[in-house]
Amino acid sequence: FVRAQFVQPDLMGLLGVGAVVSQSGPQHLANTVWAFAKAGLVDDALFSKIADRLQDCTEAMEAQHVCNVLWAFVTVGQPLGGLTEPLLGRIESMLPDMIATDVQAAAWGLTCGQLVSNSMRSAIFAVLHKKSPGDFEVVGQRQIGQWLALEADDESSIPEAWRRWMVEASRPSDSVRPSSTQFILQRAIQKLLPIPLQDTPVFSEILLGGLWLVDVAFPELRTAVEIDGDQHYARELGTMKKRELGSMGLKRRHLQRLEWVVIRVDVADIERHKTTQSRNKFLQQEVIAPLEVQAKALGRM
């Protein structure tokens, strides 16, 4: 259902309960939480029950299923609880023999969930000394790059092949075609900029450092404006309450490590303002004001 993009919350709930009630094996349970996270749904009770069920059978799980469980839990922001130690222990023991897709999933999931221990860090570095960027597809290269950006103590600790890749990836590149919302927001912000900042370059949907797509970026001001839409959140089954995806927190952590300011604007708040005057007043308060603060801090105003 998920791969076919046919997702009904009520149906997902029934499938999840069925997976637990039917005493499914670890592969089925792993696939269940993966499907929920892929669909942008989370059920605290269900995830907790599955975590409890998996605690005693991680040694029987294959690498793909272990990584799927990790990815699912950190993606929807669900604590692993008692599953943490056995799951991470299984991942660390399997890392040397993992294929590239499992390595990237494990590395990304661990840093996303802030679960990287010193021994795990050493184990992943050992793998990356053997696997070059050419062993990974584009998405995998980017995920490993994100891991290195947050977990490497300094540039010298990064394997040479990956250091060269990160340098190349960080070169200026063309923006991806922005959405209509991003383009409209960029134009509106540009018109509202105070005179000292009117010549400041601004980009929509730019790939920053080869690692992160930023909705609207002011590189000279080290400021990113992120438009929070539904794709940035998972939904809690039943209440449909929003919960930020782990990838969004990971991006914010990296940008802040680069000493960028991240301004977040909810797309629903933008759309609520129907007139230009109302929208401009909103943007002046939520975007322009913090931009001016950052510009003053950098000596640009």
Side-chain angles (χ1 to χ4, degrees):
F1 289 110
V2 175
R3 290 190 186 278
Q5 297 185 336
F6 179 77
V7 177
Q8 294 291 333
D10 291 342
L11 177 60
M12 291 294 292
L14 290 173
L15 291 173
V17 171
V20 175
V21 172
S22 66
Q23 297 296 306
S24 301
Q27 178 179 340
H28 191 183
L29 294 173
N31 290 340
T32 298
V33 290
W34 176 88
F36 266 77
K38 191 71 174 177
L41 294 170
V42 59
D43 183 322
D44 289 343
L46 174 65
F47 271 59
S48 294
K49 289 177 181 177
I50 289 179
D52 290 342
R53 286 275 304 279
L54 289 175
Q55 284 186 46
D56 298 324
C57 54
T58 55
E59 292 302 315
M61 296 173 68
E62 297 178 2
Q64 179 184 353
H65 303 131
V66 171
C67 293
N68 281 350
V69 170
L70 174 65
W71 178 86
F73 274 75
V74 300
T75 291
V76 299
Q78 182 71 17
L80 285 165
L83 180 58
T84 305
E85 186 173 341
L87 188 72
L88 269 56
R90 179 63 170 163
I91 289 174
E92 188 170 343
S93 68
M94 299 179 78
L95 268 170
D97 300 314
M98 281 186 182
I99 61 174
T101 52
D102 291 334
V103 172
Q104 72 194 48
W108 185 90
L110 290 163
T111 197
C112 185
Q114 301 186 62
L115 298 167
V116 183
S117 63
N118 289 334
S119 62
M120 185 74 78
R121 184 178 292 105
S122 298
I124 294 175
F125 269 120
V127 171
L128 296 181
H129 276 287
K130 297 177 181 178
K131 293 186 184 295
S132 69
D135 294 319
F136 296 81
E137 296 183 357
V138 174
V139 172
Q141 292 171 349
R142 194 178 299 173
Q143 288 181 329
I144 294 296
Q146 291 167 359
W147 185 86
L148 289 167
L150 283 164
E151 301 298 341
D153 293 329
D154 52 58
E155 186 177 312
S156 64
S157 66
I158 299 175
E160 178 62 27
W162 284 99
R163 189 157 62 244
R164 290 197 303 269
W165 178 87
M166 294 184 76
V167 170
E168 185 63 32
S170 65
R171 297 186 191 284
S173 60
D174 294 333
S175 298
V176 178
R177 183 177 178 84
S179 67
S180 58
T181 300
Q182 291 167 330
F183 181 73
I184 291 170
L185 181 63
Q186 176 189 334
R187 295 293 298 274
I189 292 172
Q190 284 179 302
K191 291 179 180 179
L192 292 172
L193 287 173
I195 292 175
L197 299 180
Q198 286 182 354
D199 293 331
T200 303
V202 55
F203 303 92
S204 294
E205 193 71 347
I206 188 172
L207 188 61
L208 183 64
L211 300 178
W212 296 108
L213 279 171
V214 175
D215 290 327
V216 180
F218 294 81
E220 290 186 3
L221 298 179
R222 306 184 74 80
T223 300
V225 181
E226 285 289 279
I227 307 170
D228 287 339
D230 285 342
Q231 73 275 17
H232 291 179
Y233 298 96
R235 296 279 182 173
E236 295 179 5
L237 202 63
T239 65
M240 298 306 289
K241 182 179 177 182
K242 293 194 298 187
R243 183 183 297 186
E244 185 182 59
L245 292 176
S247 57
M248 294 300 101
L250 182 61
K251 180 198 287 190
R252 193 163 55 253
R253 280 170 50 211
H254 187 200
L255 290 174
Q256 290 170 345
R257 181 165 179 172
L258 295 174
E259 299 183 343
W260 276 55
V261 170
V262 181
I263 300 171
R264 300 177 66 185
V265 183
D266 196 301
V267 68
D269 290 333
I270 298 173
E271 294 173 347
R272 215 175 349 257
H273 296 274
K274 302 301 182 182
T275 67
T276 301
Q277 182 180 8
S278 175
R279 184 193 62 201
N280 286 350
K281 183 178 180 180
F282 170 78
L283 292 176
Q284 184 71 44
Q285 177 180 334
E286 299 297 325
V287 178
I288 302 301
L291 264 176
E292 291 178 338
V293 171
Q294 174 70 347
K296 289 175 183 177
L298 296 174
R300 293 293 305 276
M301 287 184 70

